[in-house]
Amino acid sequence: EREMEDASEAQVCGRGVEGRVWKKEVVMVSRPQGMPVEANFEVRRSELVFQVPPPPGFLLVKVLWLSVDPYLREIMNEDNGLTVIPPFQIGQPIFVGSISKVLASSDPKFKEGNIVQTMSPVADYALISSEFFSIYKIEHTHAINVPLNQYLGVLGFPGLTAWVGLNVITQLQANEEVFISAAAGAVGLLAGQLAKLKGCRVVGSAGTDEKVRMLKEVYQFDEAFNYKTEKDLNSTLKRYFPSGFDVYFENVGGNTLEAALENIRRKGRIIACGMISQYNKEYKERDGVRNLMHVIGKSLKMEGFMVGDYRHMRDDFIKEVGKLLQQGRISYHMDILGRGIDEFTKAFVGLLGGKNIGKAVLLIDDGENHETLL
Ligand code: NAP
């Protein structure tokens, strides 16, 4: 079988030939109830037959890195809150953010060997559209020499989410006080550091003592606490913000949102980014937010957003955050939660259970030194 794989890959280099490659792909075979389990997914092995060059508008790619994200769990539910993203269907492949290498292209914009950031199935090889609205060639346009997988993290959509949340949605000002939940995750880790660079006081919550320690010692947070070992989040927030806070970067929902609503100041702003504490629950059995009335009484502004709507800001974001990375003014962590297609479920469950610090990714192939761009 291995020989067949090698032989088929070699053919990709030719032109005007039919190529074949064995691929592995993850398919959702049942909808998770609660935390996903192995039985919800199947790894299917099949032969991918392709032409070199591929049909117009397609690229044959070898997948290098896959992004493992909380929203995937939400769109595995038939009824979900992300109405603009259609739910995954049973029997269909799971699609995620990816970094891939182009093996063959019929589109002059992409050449063999180019590295692309796009969406692809959880698979090791794929035929993907070169005309997809969210496909980016990763180049040296900003002279940033960072590990390639950072384009799924600090320089990818999680990073853009943090940047848009603070700069566009809430227009954070110097000296404001900010509370960030899921602070040690992909979005939170950058949000906290960007808020610090703006001159804010920043407190984060996370689910382990080790995350709390890292937030304070490595990632510049003023304070952090472990929400799992606090008895009453309302009084915890009072302890860290005796006179309240101005901005809440909301990543988790549920009782953390309730505690935040109790403690946020009058005219405070809530960046409604995510509610991960609810994704594993049936839509109709989710926690209500009992004190939502504070939105009125305290004249709060709560604004949700989908990062995809801010794609046009990607270049500005990469320039700014790339520079901060290069200058060493921010740091970031990529967390490889699995290796190979077979470990998708392990990585996904790991993410939902809080195993990751920074951005959770699945490593598919780094055997050809795709680590850095230069
Ligand atoms: P992440 O924070 O890297 O990973 C998720 C983290 O959530 C886990 O590590 C875990 O850390 C925490 N968590 C899991 N279950 C929890 C629970 N019941 N209560 C509290 N925390 C829990 O993920 P991310 O990619 O940065 O995403 C963070 C949030 O932003 C998610 O809600 C996501 O859906 C949202 N998001 C929104 C957009 C948008 O366009 N609006 C874009 C990207 C992400 P702990 O150890 O701290 O529990």
Side-chain angles (χ1 to χ4, degrees), residues 51-334:
Q51 302 293 324
V52 178
F58 282 92
L59 305 174
L60 174 73
V61 297
K62 178 170 191 161
V63 176
L64 309 178
W65 294 94
L66 291 173
S67 179
V68 187
D69 295 276
Y71 81 95
L72 299 172
R73 176 64 189 88
E74 181 67 350
I75 59 173
M76 285 171 190
N77 296 319
E78 198 153 24
D79 291 327
N80 69 69
L82 296 175
T83 43
V84 294
I85 310 180
F88 288 129
Q89 295 303 319
I90 292 169
Q92 297 296 312
I94 302 293
F95 275 78
V96 300
S98 63
I99 303 284
S100 301
K101 186 170 113 175
V102 177
L103 298 180
S105 165
S106 58
D107 185 330
K109 291 196 296 297
F110 299 96
K111 300 212 164 15
E112 195 183 302
N114 282 167
I115 302 290
V116 291
Q117 175 196 344
T118 185
M119 297 287 291
S120 71
V122 178
D124 44 5
Y125 291 91
L127 261 180
I128 59 169
S129 167
S130 63
E131 288 156 13
F132 184 53
F133 62 88
S134 187
I135 183 166
Y136 306 96
K137 204 189 311 181
I138 297 183
E139 294 171 300
H140 301 291
T141 47
H142 310 298
I144 302 166
N145 181 19
V146 295
L148 194 50
N149 62 18
Q150 301 261 19
Y151 281 84
L152 295 179
V154 65
L155 296 180
F157 281 103
L160 182 60
T161 304
W163 188 86
V164 165
L166 296 177
N167 294 316
V168 184
I169 304 299
T170 203
Q171 295 168 19
L172 191 67
Q173 304 296 312
N175 298 319
E176 291 194 301
E177 293 197 76
V178 184
F179 170 47
I180 302 177
S181 53
V187 175
L189 215 51
L190 181 62
Q193 294 178 80
L194 291 179
K196 280 304 295 172
L197 287 173
K198 275 195 190 287
C200 294
R201 177 172 175 268
V202 183
V203 178
S205 63
T208 67
D209 291 345
E210 173 62 3
K211 289 185 184 185
V212 167
R213 187 191 66 75
M214 289 187 75
L215 286 173
K216 292 193 286 189
E217 290 178 10
V218 184
Y219 297 106
Q220 308 171 44
F221 282 63
D222 294 288
E223 295 287 353
F225 62 86
N226 180 345
Y227 70 93
K228 288 185 180 164
T229 54
E230 292 289 330
K231 283 200 180 66
D232 169 25
L233 291 180
N234 186 8
S235 44
T236 306
L237 286 179
K238 282 202 170 49
R239 201 163 76 234
Y240 287 106
F241 298 103
S243 61
F245 48 88
D246 305 285
V247 170
Y248 173 38
F249 201 118
E250 161 68 308
N251 284 321
V252 308
N255 63 346
T256 308
L257 175 56
E258 280 196 353
L261 282 166
E262 285 304 319
N263 286 279
I264 196 166
R265 289 185 182 133
R266 190 173 139 69
K267 299 244 168 157
R269 288 109 68 208
I270 298 175
I271 305 160
C273 174
M275 300 198 171
I276 191 170
S277 72
Q278 307 301 302
Y279 301 170
N280 272 326
K281 297 182 182 176
E282 282 282 319
Y283 200 56
K284 288 184 183 125
E285 285 161 16
R286 293 186 169 184
D287 298 334
V289 183
R290 294 166 297 181
N291 56 354
L292 204 53
M293 185 73 191
H294 282 316
V295 174
I296 301 162
K298 294 189 186 185
S299 304
L300 303 178
K301 189 172 170 193
M302 183 170 184
E303 186 173 340
F305 70 107
M306 293 292 289
V307 67
D309 292 336
Y310 296 87
R311 202 173 273 117
H312 58 282
M313 296 182 142
R314 182 179 176 272
D315 281 352
D316 291 343
F317 148 74
I318 289 183
K319 260 187 211 139
E320 186 184 315
V321 174
K323 199 165 161 195
L324 292 172
L325 266 178
Q326 270 192 319
Q327 294 170 336
R329 296 177 74 199
I330 54 175
S331 48
Y332 200 74
H333 191 253
M334 298 298 294

